[in-house]
Amino acid sequence: MSVIYQIAEFLATIIEGLLLFYVSENMCKQRFDKKKNMFIVAANTIVYTAIITIMNNHVNFSFVTLISAILLTFIGLSILSNDRFVNRFTATMLVWFFISALDYVLSYSMIMIIGRSTDISAGIPLILNPGKTRLLFLTIVKGLQLIFFISCKKLYPKLQLLKGSSIWFFCIITTLSYIVISILTQMIVTDSLVTLQTAVIFSLIFIILTIVCTIFAVTLNSKYQNEKREMQIMALSNQMMEKNFTDLQNSQNIINKQVHDFKNHLRTINGIVEDESPAKEYINDLLKESYNSAKYCRSGNTIIDSIINYKMSQAESESIRFSYNVILVDQINIAYSDICAILANQLDNAIEACLKIKDNKKRYIKVDIHQKQNFTFFKVTNSCEKNPFDSNNELHTHKNKNSEMHGFGVKNIESTSEKYNGILKSEYKNGEFVSIAMITNNV
């Protein structure tokens, strides 16, 4: 039987090593590709198992063995990852904390159930000494550890989102938690019954609080980082839109100048050629053609003109009737990128809604931009096939949910309006959707 127990201890150490290296390297930025990383995880596990097995055979459950195991984990992780020191150390201590916590909780539970006693000192030999209870303990605890770490797999990359003081705070809390749990474990093995039972109660409370704080900290920081990332993506998108529309307006200006010059050349030639000639008739026909750019928006605001002119052309190509009314009595004190964030997204949403209407005759978009007192209003009205609001009165999008820009349009309009102490109001009535962004004009 002693051979079976030795094999069980050996397998338990292998599983422990695999969990340590696999989980910790998934919490950090990986140095190599997936295939090479798995090979190094396996190699680290073999080295770890060999060293810890030798140390356990010499002295069982010593602090020297624990410290050596932590160092081996950190060194192995440093081979697998080129992440910052604090990230690697935090990942190492976090994995060790949860492994120790599961060990601790299960060992105490088995002592009470199998040992039929709250006197931990009487049940310790059942868990530590070779035998059927020790074999059962190893089987259950390693199984639970596998289940726990596999079920938490999606949370590992979130550790990479922690930055600056957050990761240092998390590192200190995790390290202190592990130190406390290790000291309490040692007390259980060596001290009196009263001290042992007090240590058990305290440590269980401490474990629960630490786990809750850990989850809360990671979730809160992850939410913050996601919001920050969204804002960065929206800002970049707005800058790109601004550049595109500015370039479009510059191109349109060049074309208008060329058309104007061309028409002057035609008029000059028309005056030279003889009356009643076919050339004169042909030139007159050309002058009547659609070179007139009177339909283009000329509000005085370059970016608004560019957006409306481009979106109008896009809408008309999709058989969408497009009309606009832009009256600006004062200068708009809004960054071009922020005007893009509001107006371009409003029109994109309007065109998207119109394209869902099968009957082309029912497709239309109306734009109304005006100023009143210290406010500028961007109002876009469009025909709509069905109510876009869900049961919670929230707008929903039909864009691909895997898209990086999923749902960013409305968020972009809202956040930009709030930036200028304004609001976004949206409503649906009788097959018509209205989006009104009101922003202050004195920022």
Side-chain angles (χ1 to χ4, degrees):
M1 291 292 290
S2 61
V3 176
I4 295 176
Y5 297 143
Q6 288 177 357
I7 292 174
E9 295 286 351
F10 183 75
L11 290 175
T13 308
I14 288 178
I15 293 172
E16 183 176 88
L18 279 172
L19 286 174
L20 286 168
F21 294 114
Y22 177 76
V23 174
S24 61
E25 65 106 9
N26 274 278
M27 290 181 178
C28 300
K29 295 177 182 176
Q30 298 176 3
R31 187 191 297 271
F32 308 107
D33 58 59
K34 188 175 180 181
K35 187 175 180 180
K36 192 170 183 179
N37 259 39
M38 290 305 296
F39 174 79
I40 297 174
V41 166
N44 284 340
T45 302
I46 293 171
V47 174
Y48 173 88
T49 303
I51 294 174
I52 298 302
T53 300
I54 293 171
M55 296 186 75
N56 280 337
N57 289 335
H58 180 65
V59 180
N60 252 345
F61 310 107
S62 70
F63 273 118
V64 175
T65 305
L66 285 174
I67 294 171
S68 300
I70 293 171
L71 285 174
L72 285 170
T73 306
F74 180 76
I75 293 169
L77 179 58
S78 298
I79 298 172
L80 288 161
S81 171
N82 56 359
D83 211 340
R84 296 182 304 161
F85 171 86
V86 64
N87 290 66
R88 287 180 281 124
F89 186 76
T90 303
T92 299
M93 298 309 300
L94 190 62
V95 178
W96 266 107
F97 169 75
F98 282 110
I99 283 179
S100 299
L102 288 170
D103 271 339
Y104 183 78
V105 172
L106 184 62
S107 60
Y108 178 56
S109 301
M110 289 187 67
I111 286 170
M112 290 193 299
I113 296 170
I114 298 176
R116 297 176 183 177
S117 173
T118 56
D119 186 351
I120 301 175
S121 59
I124 285 292
L126 292 173
I127 300 298
L128 299 186
N129 296 334
K132 293 181 180 179
T133 305
R134 172 69 178 169
L135 193 62
L136 178 63
F137 169 76
L138 289 176
T139 303
I140 295 175
V141 76
K142 295 308 169 187
L144 284 175
Q145 287 171 356
L146 282 168
I147 293 170
F148 174 79
F149 284 115
I150 290 172
S151 63
C152 295
K153 186 177 180 180
K154 291 182 179 179
L155 296 175
Y156 301 155
K158 294 186 182 297
L159 186 66
Q160 299 175 23
L161 298 175
L162 295 173
K163 304 293 182 184
S165 58
S166 298
I167 186 65
W168 279 107
F169 174 78
F170 196 56
C171 176
I172 293 169
I173 290 296
T174 305
T175 304
L176 289 176
S177 301
Y178 179 76
I179 291 172
V180 170
I181 217 173
S182 299
I183 293 172
L184 291 173
T185 303
Q186 193 69 14
M187 289 171 62
I188 288 174
V189 176
T190 60
D191 250 316
S192 66
L193 176 59
V194 176
T195 306
L196 296 175
Q197 291 175 336
T198 304
V200 168
I201 294 171
F202 176 77
S203 59
L204 285 174
I205 295 172
F206 184 82
I207 289 169
I208 292 170
L209 288 175
T210 304
I211 291 174
V212 170
C213 289
T214 300
I215 294 172
F216 178 76
V218 172
T219 303
L220 187 65
N221 191 272
S222 176
K223 182 180 179 181
Y224 166 75
Q225 293 295 337
N226 285 335
E227 289 177 352
K228 183 179 178 181
R229 176 173 167 270
E230 282 189 3
M231 292 300 293
Q232 290 172 340
I233 292 175
M234 286 191 289
L236 180 61
S237 173
N238 296 342
Q239 291 171 4
M240 291 174 64
M241 282 194 295
E242 177 192 353
K243 185 178 185 304
N244 289 338
F245 285 120
T246 301
D247 290 345
L248 279 171
Q249 185 63 30
N250 291 337
S251 298
Q252 185 63 53
N253 290 337
I254 292 172
I255 292 172
N256 288 342
K257 182 179 182 300
Q258 291 174 340
V259 169
H260 178 76
D261 291 344
F262 180 66
K263 290 172 71 175
N264 285 335
H265 290 311
L266 285 178
R267 291 190 181 97
T268 301
I269 296 172
N270 192 38
I272 297 173
V273 298
E274 297 179 0
D275 294 338
E276 306 283 335
S277 70
K280 198 175 191 68
E281 184 179 350
Y282 179 65
I283 292 171
N284 286 329
D285 289 340
L286 284 176
L287 289 170
K288 293 177 184 179
E289 285 294 332
S290 58
Y291 293 112
N292 191 354
S293 60
K295 63 180 288 188
Y296 289 111
C297 180
R298 297 180 182 278
S299 67
N301 185 287
T302 304
I303 202 69
I304 289 178
D305 293 344
S306 179
I307 293 171
I308 289 180
N309 291 334
Y310 175 74
K311 294 301 179 182
M312 177 168 55
S313 175
Q314 184 181 351
E316 290 176 348
S317 68
E318 298 288 353
S319 301
I320 301 172
R321 285 179 287 121
F322 193 103
S323 61
Y324 64 87
N325 180 41
V326 182
I327 301 176
L328 302 176
V329 293
D330 296 314
Q331 181 180 353
I332 298 181
N333 298 314
I334 307 169
Y336 277 5
S337 59
D338 292 330
I339 293 176
C340 287
I342 295 173
L343 184 57
N345 279 301
Q346 283 180 308
L347 291 174
D348 281 339
N349 294 338
I351 291 173
E352 180 187 353
C354 286
L355 290 177
K356 291 181 173 61
I357 302 174
K358 295 181 180 179
D359 188 352
N360 293 353
K361 294 180 180 179
K362 294 181 179 181
R363 297 177 177 179
Y364 64 85
I365 295 174
K366 294 182 286 186
V367 181
D368 179 26
I369 302 174
H370 64 276
Q371 293 171 313
K372 187 175 182 180
Q373 296 178 349
N374 291 327
F375 295 96
T376 300
F377 295 84
F378 293 84
K379 179 180 177 182
V380 175
T381 306
N382 60 271
S383 53
C384 196
E385 187 178 36
K386 59 182 180 180
N387 191 347
F389 292 96
D390 59 22
S391 57
N392 297 320
N393 203 33
E394 295 287 337
L395 280 171
H396 56 83
T397 177
H398 295 281
K399 292 186 178 72
N400 182 2
K401 290 186 178 182
N402 294 323
S403 170
E404 281 289 315
M405 301 305 293
H406 173 72
F408 277 7
V410 174
K411 288 182 183 178
N412 213 344
I413 301 170
E414 286 178 334
S415 62
T416 306
S417 299
E418 290 171 1
K419 177 180 175 181
Y420 292 89
N421 301 318
I423 60 170
L424 171 66
K425 181 180 178 181
S426 303
E427 61 180 10
Y428 172 83
K429 187 176 180 180
N430 299 328
E432 197 171 70
F433 181 81
V434 181
S435 170
I436 303 175
M438 181 190 73
I439 59 178
T440 58
N441 196 40
N442 56 358
V443 177

